Amino acid sequence: MVTDKYVIREQNASLVLEQIVQQAPISRASLSSNIGLNKATVSDITKKLLEDKLIEEIGIGESSHSGGRKPILLQLNNKAGLSIAIELGYDFISTMVTYLDGEVVFYNKERGTFITKENVLAHVSNIIEKYEKISNLTTYGIIGIGIAIHGIVNENTISFTPYYDLDKIALYEELTNLYQYPIHIENEANLTAIGESTFSTEFNNLISLSIHSGIGAGIIIDGQLFTGLDGRAGEIGHSVLYPNGKACPCGNKGCLEQYCSDKVLLEQFRERKQLTDVTPDLLAELYYANDPDVQEIIQQHCYNLSKGVNNIMTFFAPKVIFMNSSVIRRIPEILSLTNDNLESSFNKDIVIENSSLGSKASLFGATALNIRNFLNISHLKIINTD
């Protein structure tokens, strides 16, 4: 059943394991009923999963209304392996290590580290080798490395990164030459959408809008990530807001992210207040102190942002749009102010929410990719109730 260390390939075993992950604690009889496999087949599969230490028996459930023997309940052995997720921002590195249920073992964000094609391999290798030292404490060790990139990625190949030069290095090939672990490289916004879909919501049609140095949209349609031609879907930040406006690294002029990314917003704040150093915390402090300059900046920001949000709503009609922004986390009123600028009837019943996963959203998405690949589960749902 387990053909190698990292992937369970037998289809029925994957169906059983998917049910255990999503419905635990669950009995063998319930598994048989839910999946439509006979009890003997389920018993054989769970026996092998127990031998492989991928699931565990956790106690006795209630007997049925007709009486009889009380069932033994099963759940995923969450601590069977470790997932490593890494986000490479242009000036930071975030790392998150979890068990197979997304429980966080370690998290760190290192700011002020400028990522380049010359140093990226060393940074990622240092992280991997650090956790190799503790991986033997679990049955399967490191089950995958997921990496979030701020740029266009298609099938692990980085093709465009406007704010650093990681499109100039074959990072996937370099890492797979060095390590035996499955490597997953994906666009940061796409990963935030996968993270939200896996860990925070039951909805299967959603958009996750990442607003950082740029603006990207991760798109989940019917539970699946939509990436478009060569991974280029969701680059909402490069839709034109003001024709013949500010020049953008993509080659266009007047792109949305040149007017309402967090990076641009903070730069406007710095220039307006003639400060040498600004932070989202300082922006929020002056906003809540009713500073007139900051109030004006935020109002214009919300107006511009609403145009991008309106386009997303019109194109995709998602059930919910998650907003992921360090500024919005500190000034959540931006959501209502943006919503006030949305007047189209097409926007009815579409919810705009602050991401509950926050700055870890892309890391949870990378974690989901690692776990899905390891367990061979295509529809992973582990709702995070923390």
Side-chain angles (χ1 to χ4, degrees):
M1 187 187 307
V2 180
T3 57
D4 59 46
K5 184 178 178 183
Y6 298 107
V7 181
I8 299 167
R9 299 197 182 278
E10 206 275 322
Q11 183 177 11
N12 286 340
S14 296
L15 291 173
V16 168
L17 195 51
E18 181 176 332
Q19 280 286 308
I20 292 173
V21 170
Q22 296 179 184
Q23 303 295 329
I26 189 170
S27 67
R28 291 169 176 80
S30 293
L31 287 170
S32 175
S33 175
N34 291 354
I35 301 171
L37 295 174
N38 65 54
K39 292 181 179 180
T41 299
V42 169
S43 180
D44 287 343
I45 290 171
T46 55
K47 180 176 181 291
K48 186 67 170 67
L49 291 173
L50 285 164
E51 290 172 354
D52 291 335
K53 298 183 179 179
L54 287 165
I55 64 172
E56 55 191 4
E57 297 178 333
I58 59 169
I60 307 298
E62 297 297 324
S63 59
S64 67
H65 295 299
S66 60
R69 183 188 306 174
K70 292 184 177 181
I72 297 173
L73 300 178
L74 304 167
Q75 71 175 18
L76 178 71
N77 177 12
N78 301 331
K79 295 180 173 57
L82 293 175
S83 161
I84 297 179
I86 302 167
E87 179 178 356
L88 298 173
Y90 80 98
D91 64 348
F92 71 88
I93 302 176
S94 292
T95 305
M96 189 170 79
V97 180
T98 73
Y99 292 124
L100 299 185
D101 61 347
E103 178 187 344
V104 178
V105 178
F106 174 86
Y107 169 77
N108 181 62
K109 186 168 187 176
E110 183 180 333
R111 300 180 185 275
T113 299
F114 289 88
I115 301 299
T116 69
K117 65 180 181 180
E118 285 80 17
N119 65 23
V120 63
L121 197 61
H123 283 301
V124 173
S125 294
N126 286 340
I127 292 168
I128 295 172
E129 289 161 14
K130 177 180 179 181
Y131 293 102
E132 280 181 326
K133 297 174 183 177
I134 63 168
S135 64
N136 60 1
L137 299 177
T138 64
T139 303
Y140 290 92
I142 297 170
I143 56 93
I145 314 292
I147 300 176
I149 297 293
H150 291 247
I152 296 175
V153 181
N154 183 45
E155 297 181 351
N156 292 311
T157 298
I158 305 167
S159 61
F160 176 66
T161 50
Y163 298 105
Y164 49 21
D165 59 356
L166 296 191
D167 52 351
K168 308 300 183 189
I169 180 175
L171 184 59
Y172 177 79
E173 288 75 10
E174 295 278 2
L175 289 172
T176 52
N177 285 337
L178 289 173
Y179 302 103
Q180 63 175 324
Y181 313 117
I183 306 290
H184 308 281
I185 299 178
E186 184 55 270
N187 166 266
E188 176 267 342
N190 286 345
L191 288 176
T192 67
I194 292 172
E196 301 289 358
S197 177
T198 304
F199 291 102
S200 77
T201 183
E202 294 287 356
F203 295 134
N204 290 319
N205 289 282
L206 64 90
I207 302 288
S208 179
L209 196 62
S210 287
I211 307 171
H212 306 299
S213 56
I215 301 177
I219 305 162
I220 301 291
I221 300 175
D222 295 332
Q224 299 297 318
L225 179 69
F226 175 73
T227 57
L229 176 66
D230 296 333
R232 285 182 262 165
E235 290 295 329
I236 189 68
H238 298 291
S239 60
V240 175
L241 179 63
Y242 293 110
N244 298 314
K246 298 177 185 177
C248 181
C250 76
N252 273 339
K253 291 183 178 180
C255 288
L256 180 71
E257 68 182 40
Q258 296 304 315
Y259 294 88
C260 52
S261 68
D262 280 0
K263 181 181 179 183
V264 167
L265 176 60
L266 291 171
E267 182 63 20
Q268 291 171 341
F269 172 46
R270 186 189 66 79
E271 291 177 356
R272 179 71 71 89
K273 304 303 290 185
Q274 296 184 330
L275 299 169
T276 56
D277 188 35
V278 295
T279 64
D281 288 322
L282 180 59
L283 179 67
E285 179 184 338
L286 293 186
Y287 174 80
Y288 288 114
N290 293 314
D291 180 282
D293 291 328
V294 173
Q295 292 283 325
E296 181 183 341
I297 290 170
I298 293 295
Q299 287 289 343
Q300 184 62 41
H301 174 76
C302 293
Y303 173 81
N304 288 332
L305 186 58
S306 72
K307 303 311 170 190
V309 171
N310 178 77
N311 289 341
I312 290 173
M313 289 177 166
T314 304
F315 295 158
F316 296 103
K319 182 65 178 178
V320 59
I321 296 178
F322 291 100
M323 306 287 271
N324 199 297
S325 152
S326 61
V327 173
I328 293 176
R329 282 193 288 276
R330 291 162 175 82
I331 311 176
E333 285 84 353
I334 288 174
L335 295 182
S336 59
L337 291 170
T338 299
N339 204 44
D340 289 344
N341 285 291
L342 298 171
E343 300 175 352
S344 171
S345 60
F346 291 106
N347 303 333
K348 184 180 179 182
D349 299 327
I350 299 176
V351 179
I352 303 176
E353 290 187 6
N354 212 341
S355 170
S356 63
L357 301 180
S359 62
K360 300 185 184 73
S362 66
L363 297 173
F364 274 110
T367 298
L369 283 189
N370 289 336
I371 297 171
R372 282 184 350 195
N373 178 72
F374 175 63
L375 299 179
N376 196 25
I377 294 178
S378 58
H379 294 86
L380 185 67
K381 284 281 187 184
I382 309 175
I383 303 302
N384 190 341
T385 57
D386 292 343

